[in-house]
Amino acid sequence: MPKADEIFQKRLQKHHDELRWLYMELYGNDSMFAELCDNLFRFYTERKASLKRRDKQREQNPDWFKRSDMLGMMLYIDNFAGDLKGVQKKLSYLSDCNVNCIHLMPFLDTPKGRSDGGYAVSDFRKVRPDLGTMDDLATLADSCHERGMNLCMDFVMNHTSEDHEWARRAAAGEGEYMSRYFFYDSDRIPLEYEKSVPQVFPTTAPGNFTYLPEIGHYVLTTFYPYQWDLNYANPRVFNEMMYNFLYLANQGMDVIRIDAVPYIWKEIGTSCRNLPQVHTIVRMMRMIGEIVCPAVVLLGEVVMEPEKVVPYFGTVEKPECHMLYNVTTMATTWNSVATGDTRLLRRQMDIVNRLPGAYTFLNYLRCHDDIGWGLDYATLKQWGMKEVPHKQYLNDYFTGRIAGSTSCGELYNDDPITKDARFCGTTASMCGIEQALGNGDQEALEEAIRQDLMLHAYMFTQSGIPMLYSGDEIGQLNDYSYREDGDKVSDSRYVHRGAFRWDLAKRRKDKESVQGKLFLTLRMLEKIRAKEPVFDANANVYTYDVHNDSILCIMREKSGERFFGIFNFSGGEQTAWMQEDGMFTDLLTGTQMELRDPVLQPHGFYWVKRSR
Ligand code: GLC
């Protein structure tokens, strides 16, 4: 047997029994399983030599993605650089940002005006023509790899666009394709589902079904009406989607973000979220990846409460996702910004810090989506706060309607029934940079910049991979031009999806400019993070009581070294009541200081390490 086959066979053998067991449990279909295995081998043989070398290296170093110098950035190709070739030309800018993992927002073919920001895919094997071609993608991946960068893309597996070939054939009445979705010829079953399934877009896309008058059927559409949910109870759907996954992995992806993964299995009478079969499927994907393309890691998009998120890591013996978004921490962070109270955030961090060190979270302040207020309301209730008025407060705060608030932004899916609005805006606008610039208020501007930097420093202090949102490195503001665009006007998430401001990015090395103040300090923080051992993934991390609810203090320890990140979430000067022996080095200025009741500026922070 040739050597290449041996490698594949060895990997297949490792997983075969479990993979077969799970497949049979879901589908009980031997011949479809055999077809799957044949295709795994096909994708393995099609994988190019340079990627196979990457596979080998990463099999020997499976924790490669946990290094403390990993820094991600998510960006829209068109907003950032026009097309894929444009991104290629801008790689040096991304290196200048210390970024070594680029998440390209959805770029596969999608119908204009019915795309949900690219999350309605009409062809999994074709790049949106105005953005380039599959060859451009593979070339970009090669260039990234040469520069030590990784590439991440979305795999939108819950649904296809209504323009996808399968959907078009289903709409034409072809039974084989109808069975790949959820079709019903009356509203009886849809109404049954509606009893227990919540809504994702209650105002922009109410309901979970769409009626198709041409064929007199209802189709399940959890998200927008043009995004048709795939039926993973059909093994043909699973197999074909796995082939799409492997095809994309073979273009040179390092990270594949599995979009909306909790939704992929449906059962009548349930919420159709996080069902056990979802975990079976993710576990199978993990094994399939390890067999064909072990260089690729899975990033699960699980925007759910913490107890629902963590199971997506699987177990140590049977892992599922390599990485998950730290979504509750993100939302709780903004809660602390609005309230100036860090108690809930501290609790949340304690929960995360107690989890097994093998779990890797992706930390972020902002992403392309809205911020949903998924907080720990049971705890807030004990402190006298109720869910609905609290959410109302947060939304009022961030829309700038509360005295003292400096934030600008827009509500998202403001549901008059549940009063469950979410929020959209860029970090800089939420921190007050937009308002201060508008008012020409220099002092407010300085504080807003300080808050923006404090939040980034705090995000970098967490264990896991920090992911920047493109534009945040130069303090990009909300972009209200989406209101003029008929395709976007109804979706306020576009307020933070503006075109990248290269004109402003030019000022990033100018210490006097807003851009420079942010960019240069972020770079310094990133460099410190990459080099100091206390930021290692396996450092011990605790929150530390400084007897002041406005301040969050995080301690990191590694190899006898002790680090404190101290963050003032309030707009007033605050004291961290702490007495630590010895001298500390302020890692940003290099100056020596004692840690005896340090005083922090409004929204200020310290990053200090005990001197030897
Ligand atoms: C994910 C994406 C979001 C999209 C949804 C539907 O949650 O982040 O932007 O609307 O999936 O695909």
Side-chain angles (χ1 to χ4, degrees), residues 299-300 302 309 324-333 348-349 352 355 360-364 458 462-464:
L299 163 63
V302 184
V309 173
L324 295 171
Y325 287 90
N326 204 346
V327 54
T328 305
T329 304
M330 181 280 293
T332 312
T333 302
Q348 168 61 20
M349 298 209 83
V352 175
L355 293 172
T360 304
F361 280 104
L362 200 132
N363 297 307
Y364 62 116
Y458 140 80
Q462 294 171 52
S463 292

Side-chain angles (χ1 to χ4, degrees), residues 173-193:
E174 282 189 54
E176 144 74 12
Y177 290 91
M178 289 170 88
S179 74
R180 298 186 186 195
Y181 300 92
F182 295 85
F183 271 84
Y184 302 100
D185 59 5
S186 83
D187 62 2
R188 193 176 62 80
I189 296 174
L191 288 174
E192 256 329 286
Y193 271 107

Side-chain angles (χ1 to χ4, degrees), residues 254-523:
D254 298 282
V255 182
I256 292 209
R257 173 188 184 271
I258 32 184
D259 180 62
V261 65
Y263 300 84
I264 59 177
W265 193 273
K266 279 82 179 178
E267 292 283 347
I268 211 152
T270 72
S271 67
C272 294
R273 275 118 170 103
N274 309 301
L275 297 179
Q277 294 86 345
V278 175
H279 290 280
T280 306
I281 290 177
V282 179
R283 174 69 190 139
M284 288 200 284
M285 268 182 96
R286 171 74 178 244
M287 288 189 277
I288 288 170
E290 285 183 9
I291 294 167
V292 180
C293 50
V296 179
V297 296
L298 300 178
L299 163 63
E301 193 227 0
V302 184
V303 180
M304 299 276 155
E305 50 277 40
E307 59 277 19
K308 305 275 171 47
V309 173
V310 172
Y312 286 87
F313 282 119
T315 62
V316 178
E317 298 78 35
K318 299 188 189 322
E320 296 178 22
C321 294
H322 298 79
M323 280 190 276
L324 295 171
Y325 287 90
N326 204 346
V327 54
T328 305
T329 304
M330 181 280 293
T332 312
T333 302
W334 289 108
N335 174 70
S336 291
V337 169
T339 58
D341 180 343
T342 65
R343 284 178 298 162
L344 196 66
L345 185 54
R346 185 168 174 205
R347 271 183 87 101
Q348 168 61 20
M349 298 209 83
D350 288 341
I351 295 172
V352 175
N353 290 338
R354 277 197 297 268
L355 293 172
Y359 293 176
T360 304
F361 280 104
L362 200 132
N363 297 307
Y364 62 116
L365 293 172
R366 291 297 297 111
C367 72
H368 68 296
D369 278 330
D370 50 294
I371 304 174
W373 300 117
L375 307 175
D376 173 0
Y377 290 103
T379 299
L380 283 177
K381 203 169 157 200
Q382 287 167 20
W383 297 337
M385 287 166 251
K386 292 204 188 92
E387 180 166 342
V388 171
H390 190 71
K391 279 183 184 163
Q392 181 85 49
Y393 170 82
L394 295 174
N395 286 323
D396 285 347
Y397 179 89
F398 285 112
T399 44
R401 280 182 272 179
I402 299 269
S405 156
T406 55
S407 167
C408 300
E410 301 201 336
L411 295 184
Y412 180 67
N413 271 279
D414 187 2
D415 186 341
I417 299 163
T418 59
K419 300 229 174 17
D420 206 9
R422 287 121 73 175
F423 187 78
C424 297
T426 69
T427 306
S429 290
M430 292 178 76
C431 285
I433 296 180
E434 180 175 334
Q435 198 193 80
L437 285 171
N439 295 340
D441 183 338
Q442 196 54 35
E443 207 179 308
L445 183 61
E446 292 303 324
E447 187 173 338
I449 293 173
R450 212 158 49 229
Q451 181 170 23
D452 188 317
L453 288 170
M454 182 275 287
L455 289 175
H456 278 96
Y458 140 80
M459 194 238 310
F460 292 149
T461 306
Q462 294 171 52
S463 292
I465 319 275
M467 177 66 79
L468 297 171
Y469 188 57
S470 171
D472 276 1
E473 75 281 15
I474 53 161
Q476 203 158 308
L477 306 180
N478 290 342
D479 181 338
Y480 299 96
S481 64
Y482 83 96
R483 293 178 185 160
E484 262 57 74
D485 183 333
D487 289 343
K488 299 179 176 165
V489 62
S490 59
D491 193 331
S492 54
R493 290 178 295 179
Y494 286 102
V495 81
H496 53 251
R497 296 178 183 173
F500 186 71
R501 294 285 304 269
W502 287 103
D503 54 333
L504 299 179
K506 280 200 195 112
R507 301 187 197 150
R508 69 188 184 276
K509 304 284 166 78
D510 169 5
K511 285 194 209 116
E512 300 308 315
S513 69
V514 173
Q515 294 73 28
K517 284 177 186 168
L518 289 167
F519 187 87
L520 296 171
T521 311
L522 289 182
R523 268 219 320 194

Side-chain angles (χ1 to χ4, degrees), residues 74 76 103 105-106 115-120 154 156-159 200-201 222-224 227 257-261 263 301 303 325 367-370 412 491 493 497:
M74 50 196 301
Y76 283 95
H103 176 185
M105 296 306 294
S115 78
D116 184 23
Y119 285 98
D154 284 87
V156 186
M157 65 183 296
N158 177 68
H159 43 259
V200 180
F201 298 144
T222 304
F223 294 86
Y224 280 110
Q227 289 166 306
R257 173 188 184 271
I258 32 184
D259 180 62
V261 65
Y263 300 84
E301 193 227 0
V303 180
Y325 287 90
C367 72
H368 68 296
D369 278 330
D370 50 294
Y412 180 67
D491 193 331
R493 290 178 295 179
R497 296 178 183 173

Side-chain angles (χ1 to χ4, degrees), residues 134-185:
M134 272 299 163
D135 283 344
D136 294 342
L137 179 67
T139 311
L140 175 64
D142 286 342
S143 308
C144 286
H145 295 167
E146 277 159 25
R147 286 171 173 261
M149 291 175 156
N150 298 288
L151 209 52
C152 168
M153 74 174 288
D154 284 87
F155 183 51
V156 186
M157 65 183 296
N158 177 68
H159 43 259
T160 73
S161 151
E162 63 181 350
D163 279 19
H164 189 279
E165 190 200 339
W166 299 353
R168 281 194 276 112
R169 297 181 76 164
E174 282 189 54
E176 144 74 12
Y177 290 91
M178 289 170 88
S179 74
R180 298 186 186 195
Y181 300 92
F182 295 85
F183 271 84
Y184 302 100
D185 59 5

Side-chain angles (χ1 to χ4, degrees), residues 540-557:
N540 291 322
V541 189
Y542 312 93
T543 61
Y544 186 96
D545 197 359
V546 294
H547 310 285
N548 181 337
D549 290 342
S550 297
I551 296 179
L552 179 77
C553 180
I554 304 172
M555 182 171 88
R556 300 187 64 96
E557 283 182 326

